[in-house]
Each structure stands twice: as structure tokens, then as C-alpha cells.
Amino acid sequence: KDRAFYIERRGHGETVYFDVSYSAVREADASVGGVLCLVTETTDRVRFHQRQAFLLELSRTLPGLGDAARIESYAVQRLAQELGAARVCFGEDKGDGVGFKVSHDWTEGVTSLVGTHSYLTFGTDLYEQLSDGRTVQHSYEQPEPCLAGISTTLHAPVLRGGRLEALLAVHFSDARGCFEEDCQLVEETAKQVWAAILHARAERALHLLNQSLEERVATALAQRE
């Protein structure tokens, strides 16, 4: 049941899953003359359950981390492990239609992207596609220096109020095709994690505001006294 096999199809190698059963084929004298093998692919079902389990783990873990930076760091590392990526990060849109800022990333064998970057570095029409709500996959033969060691990228948008607010970048060192289930996992992770990050930021801002108000009230009372 759900036996894993590595095969090459659709131009790329991938791990797929099958239910496999073997039954003896009897001769007239009841001896075994052969074997009937029935194979049913279960890849879609297995990957669906894997995706749901991953998202459930995030939903249970992220609220307990509290701090937005810890949430982001944990989420990008877990997604990289889940997909076998070389680099994963969130990029927060700067609002100028030109660039985005990376505050945290997870990398293995490639350089960090922490800093400010242009959308054009990753594709001439990347910003427009993300703004339209589309997840974008690119393959690179002669990448920019910041993409050294990267062959394939997957970028998923996070929109709020119809405006591009952030992107989730997943970069792979090998040339691969990102299948529909990979895209779905990245898209759902992007929405869930970014919502948790914004919630943590809002709670932090509220805490600082309350702290500031308490200090101002204490100061005013002291002045009156």
C-alpha cells in the first residue's frame, strides 16, 4: 500500500506511489503457473495527505512561536526540508513595482538572499505575473550572480486587497519540473505563513503601543503630582 518508487516521466525523475498486489495464477493441477500483478497509482492521494499534514503542522506550531522573525525562519526551513530546496525565503514587496526585501532565508549550498532585490533579476515579467496572482516557475542556464547554483525557481504571490504584498521564493539547485502539487503546497504555505507573520507583527505593535501609553500615563500623573 502506497509503495514509493522512483521513476522518470514528464522529462524529470520523481518519487511516485502505488498500491501493488500479487496473486498466484493456478494451473489445472493447482500448481502455481504464474503471478498476476495489479498496480494502482496513488501518488495524488499520498501527496494530498502529505500536503495536508505539513500545513496542519504549521498551523499548530506557528502560533506558539510568537515572534514574527521566528515564525518566518521556522516556516522557510520546514518548507525547504519538505521540498528538498536549496533556498527558501519570503520577499516583502517595497510598493514601488521594482523590488522586494528579504529579511530571513534558509539556504543549503548557496548564498543568502537577505537584502533588497529587483524583480527583474528573477524574470523580466515576474512582477506582472505575481501581481496577477500567478505562481511563476523559471529555469536558468546563465543566471545572475545571486542565483549561482540555482537551476529552477518557484515564486508564489501573496495578495491582499488585490495588491502584491509579498512573495514566497523556493529555489532548487537541480533542473526539475515543479508539479501541480508542489505549486499548491507553496501557494498554501505562503498564505498561511504570511498571515501568521502579519498577526505576530500586529500583536507586537499593540504591545508596544500599550507599553507606550502606560509610560505616558505614568509620566503625566507624576507631572501632575
Side-chain angles (χ1 to χ4, degrees):
K1 184 176 178 63
D2 297 332
R3 172 78 179 270
F5 291 89
Y6 178 82
I7 66 174
E8 293 186 2
R9 63 181 181 184
R10 297 188 285 190
H12 298 278
E14 59 175 315
T15 298
V16 294
Y17 300 86
F18 297 94
D19 284 350
V20 185
S21 66
Y22 298 93
S23 302
V25 178
R26 302 279 178 181
E27 299 285 6
D29 61 359
S31 64
V32 177
V35 177
L36 173 65
C37 178
L38 299 179
V39 182
T40 303
E41 184 168 1
T42 61
T43 303
D44 289 343
R45 183 185 72 200
V46 171
R47 288 180 176 168
F48 172 78
H49 288 304
Q50 289 174 339
R51 184 168 72 248
Q52 294 305 110
F54 177 81
L55 295 172
L56 180 60
E57 177 202 332
L58 287 183
S59 67
R60 290 174 173 173
T61 304
L62 298 186
L65 299 178
D67 180 67
R70 291 182 63 196
I71 290 173
E72 187 172 352
S73 296
Y74 176 84
V76 297
Q77 179 179 354
R78 282 293 294 115
L79 184 60
Q81 294 169 342
E82 185 75 10
L83 294 178
R87 180 168 56 212
V88 178
C89 62
F90 276 93
E92 188 164 5
D93 184 68
K94 295 184 64 179
D96 56 6
V98 176
F100 60 90
K101 179 181 178 181
V102 176
S103 299
H104 306 274
D105 64 3
W106 186 94
T107 63
E108 183 175 13
V110 296
T111 59
S112 172
L113 275 187
V114 172
T116 301
H117 300 275
S118 169
Y119 288 102
L120 292 175
T121 302
F122 303 89
T124 55
D125 54 355
L126 178 61
Y127 177 76
E128 289 74 15
Q129 290 176 302
L130 292 175
S131 296
D132 288 339
R134 288 181 282 171
T135 296
V136 184
Q137 179 181 342
H138 274 301
S139 297
Y140 303 88
E141 294 182 358
Q142 294 180 333
E144 297 290 334
C146 68
L147 284 169
I150 299 297
S151 297
T152 307
T153 62
L154 189 64
H155 295 104
V158 180
L159 303 176
R160 189 164 66 157
R163 186 186 71 82
L164 179 65
E165 189 166 83
L167 63 90
L168 176 54
V170 183
H171 297 172
F172 300 93
S173 57
D174 57 328
R176 58 176 288 175
C178 297
F179 306 123
E180 182 180 352
E181 50 269 18
D182 295 331
C183 295
Q184 289 177 345
L185 178 60
V186 173
E187 291 167 356
E188 293 172 17
T189 299
K191 295 175 184 177
Q192 181 173 319
V193 176
W194 192 250
I197 290 172
L198 294 182
H199 181 72
R201 287 180 180 177
E203 285 193 334
R204 176 61 177 168
L206 182 60
H207 172 74
L208 293 176
L209 177 60
N210 289 336
Q211 188 177 50
S212 175
L213 288 174
E214 290 173 359
E215 292 173 353
R216 288 165 60 186
V217 169
T219 300
L221 289 175
Q223 290 174 344
R224 289 183 180 182
E225 291 175 358

